[in-house]
Amino acid sequence: NAGVTQTPKFQVLKTGQSMTLQCAQDMNHNSMYWYRQDPGMGLRLIYYSASEGTTDKGEVPNGYNVSRLNKREFSLRLESAAPSQTSVYFCASTDRGNTEAFFGQGTRLTVV
Amino acid sequence: GQQLNQSPQSMFIQEGEDVSMNCTSSSIFNTWLWYKQDPGEGPVLLIALYKAGELTSNGRLTAQFGITRKDSFLNISASIPSDVGIYFCAGQLPGSARQLTFGSGTQLTVLP
């Protein structure tokens, strides 16, 4: 059982480039989330999808877009990467009516 | 912005010692969760707390949901080298649709 799978694990982008971070979960969870983790700041919510077909902004959504492709997959897109988006990105999912989030292994993104 | 104050930021302890860390907030939370993050990995759920005053154990770990619903602590007894990592508290605010607010983490180092 893979749980939450993120790709890629590492990425280096030049300022202005675009890319999409992929996330898939095999636990049949309804809700999915994208967080970013910066040193000394814990995890901050970028966007979430409470259920298939819906997406909502979190605490730090600027510069990002998301797509809930189906129940399994939730992608995060950076249209024009900036150095301030250098971070570790985590995808997570929760089951219906449950707060306990399961996390992927993260994508380490560097924007130069 | 950050609504959870987690302390201490870091701890250096001898193997076999007990450890205590806590999170406080000016806001009331419905749920408290404690996660551990190993280097290069995503957070892994340790303990979930759902009721004010609840005390829950998971092996050598014990956590409590504060009676005021504004704080929680995590204790680790008889620490071992594999306890090394970053411990995060996370809370769900009322009406936040299962979104989690994270503390900034406690970096634990266990010395042999």
Side-chain angles (χ1 to χ4, degrees), chain B residues 89-100:
Chain B
C89 62
Q92 183 209 353
L93 289 164
S96 63
R98 293 187 295 285
Q99 298 174 56
L100 294 176

Side-chain angles (χ1 to χ4, degrees), chain A residues 1-6 23-29 32 72 91-93 102-105:
Chain A
N1 190 344
V4 180
T5 303
Q6 291 182 234
C23 175
Q25 53 91 10
D26 61 5
M27 297 174 284
N28 201 35
H29 285 174
M32 298 185 73
R72 290 187 64 247
C91 178
S93 68
F102 292 82
F103 285 83
Q105 288 194 310

